[in-house]
Amino acid sequence: MTHFLILTGLLFPKLSDFKQAVPYNVATPLFSDYTDKERMISIPSGKKVIITDNGLPQFPEGTVLFKTFSQQGIKIETRVLLKTPTGWEPGIYIWNTTQQNAYLSNGGEKKVNGYILPTIRQCHSCHGKDIQPIGFKARNIYQQIPALVQAGILETPDLSKISPLPNWQDTTLTIESRARAYLDVNCAHCHNPTGMCNKSDLRLAYDAYLDPTYKKLILKFMQNGKMPLLGTHMIHKEGVALIANYIAKLK
């Protein structure tokens, strides 16, 4: 279960101490222009991540979260979050043509084979002024918890305090649960009191009340590629179809 990631041109001096990382998946991923993603987490020896509720766990200093984006089996970029004494620090690494390692982006690269790269400033737009992870919430990694405990990443949590987030692609589940999971992962990090869209009272977390008066606006924005606003440059046809189906059922 152990993978290794080699990165060159490191932004963070301590990152080289934590090259060994454990892979994990999420129940419902963020849409990223149909790229394939590999997620990994590394923590310092002797430390563990502590889960207390549905939200973000308590991460020890030195935690590194990796997410590698690929197209047709070719790695393009790896986004990194490093937990430091003062908070999370982001880094974007671009893979070389040999696919053996990646170098730290200086912000000058805009595209790789048509794939549009993000900037550090955009990291703050989605992850907040005080950068916080988005995907590694307890409810979204619920199915991975036993493996991460076994790998020594997590302290054994009280599972009764966690409500698993549905898999938006699981057609055995209700349209509502799938759609709310999709909106939670793709939209709630902006549509909350401290997010980029905090001036709107539209809240899209899984358990939040969804005002039906917003239903036409949500669908219009998604169909026009304006929601999510950042992090994607394509319309997610399958996601739009799911939300349209859900909204049509709202009273």
Side-chain angles (χ1 to χ4, degrees), residues 121-175:
R121 183 176 181 178
Q122 287 176 325
C123 293
H124 285 275
S125 296
C126 290
H127 289 266
K129 181 180 179 182
D130 298 323
I131 293 276
Q132 293 291 328
I134 293 175
F136 202 96
K137 293 183 174 70
R139 70 186 319 169
N140 207 12
I141 62 163
Y142 184 85
Q143 302 298 333
Q144 300 284 298
I145 287 175
L148 292 172
V149 169
Q150 185 177 12
I153 297 294
L154 297 179
E155 287 278 8
T156 303
D158 181 352
L159 295 180
S160 68
K161 294 183 178 180
I162 307 170
S163 303
L165 192 72
N167 177 347
W168 79 276
Q169 293 180 298
D170 185 349
T171 56
T172 67
L173 302 176
T174 66
I175 293 293

Side-chain angles (χ1 to χ4, degrees), residues 85-204:
T86 57
W88 292 93
E89 295 289 343
I92 299 171
Y93 295 84
I94 301 172
W95 286 86
N96 63 10
T97 55
T98 68
Q99 297 285 284
Q100 297 301 307
N101 50 47
Y103 63 90
L104 178 67
S105 171
N106 60 13
E109 305 88 346
K110 303 300 181 184
K111 291 185 179 181
V112 175
N113 296 329
Y115 175 85
I116 300 175
L117 293 162
T119 65
I120 293 296
R121 183 176 181 178
Q122 287 176 325
C123 293
H124 285 275
S125 296
C126 290
H127 289 266
K129 181 180 179 182
D130 298 323
I131 293 276
Q132 293 291 328
I134 293 175
F136 202 96
K137 293 183 174 70
R139 70 186 319 169
N140 207 12
I141 62 163
Y142 184 85
Q143 302 298 333
Q144 300 284 298
I145 287 175
L148 292 172
V149 169
Q150 185 177 12
I153 297 294
L154 297 179
E155 287 278 8
T156 303
D158 181 352
L159 295 180
S160 68
K161 294 183 178 180
I162 307 170
S163 303
L165 192 72
N167 177 347
W168 79 276
Q169 293 180 298
D170 185 349
T171 56
T172 67
L173 302 176
T174 66
I175 293 293
E176 180 181 14
S177 64
R178 293 169 55 208
R180 293 311 304 264
Y182 184 92
L183 292 171
D184 180 290
V185 170
N186 286 277
C187 308
H189 51 275
C190 285
H191 285 275
N192 67 76
T194 60
M196 187 173 67
C197 300
N198 60 359
K199 291 183 180 180
S200 167
D201 59 1
L202 174 61
R203 300 292 177 255
L204 293 172

Side-chain angles (χ1 to χ4, degrees), residues 4 20 44 63 66-67 82 91 110 119 129 137 172 177 185 226 228 232 249:
F4 293 86
Q20 184 168 314
T63 297
F66 307 88
K67 185 160 65 171
L82 170 66
K110 303 300 181 184
T119 65
K129 181 180 179 182
K137 293 183 174 70
T172 67
S177 64
V185 170
K226 295 182 178 180
T232 178
K249 299 178 185 299

Side-chain angles (χ1 to χ4, degrees), residues 224-236:
N224 292 335
K226 295 182 178 180
M227 186 173 171
L229 185 61
L230 295 173
T232 178
H233 303 276
M234 295 181 179
I235 295 173
H236 189 196

Side-chain angles (χ1 to χ4, degrees), residues 40-99:
M40 295 187 287
I41 181 172
S42 173
I43 60 173
S45 177
K47 302 291 185 179
K48 289 189 178 182
V49 176
I50 300 174
I51 289 176
T52 58
D53 55 27
N54 280 328
L56 286 172
Q58 298 172 11
F59 297 94
E61 180 183 330
T63 297
V64 189
L65 293 170
F66 307 88
K67 185 160 65 171
T68 298
F69 296 72
S70 303
Q71 287 181 328
Q72 299 179 336
I74 299 174
K75 294 188 288 288
I76 301 171
E77 63 159 327
T78 294
R79 301 178 192 176
V80 177
L81 287 178
L82 170 66
K83 182 69 178 294
T84 73
T86 57
W88 292 93
E89 295 289 343
I92 299 171
Y93 295 84
I94 301 172
W95 286 86
N96 63 10
T97 55
T98 68
Q99 297 285 284

Side-chain angles (χ1 to χ4, degrees), residues 24-48:
Y24 69 94
N25 286 310
V26 294
T28 288
L30 191 74
F31 173 66
S32 302
D33 292 349
Y34 295 101
T35 54
D36 297 314
K37 288 179 276 189
E38 180 184 16
R39 301 166 184 82
M40 295 187 287
I41 181 172
S42 173
I43 60 173
S45 177
K47 302 291 185 179
K48 289 189 178 182

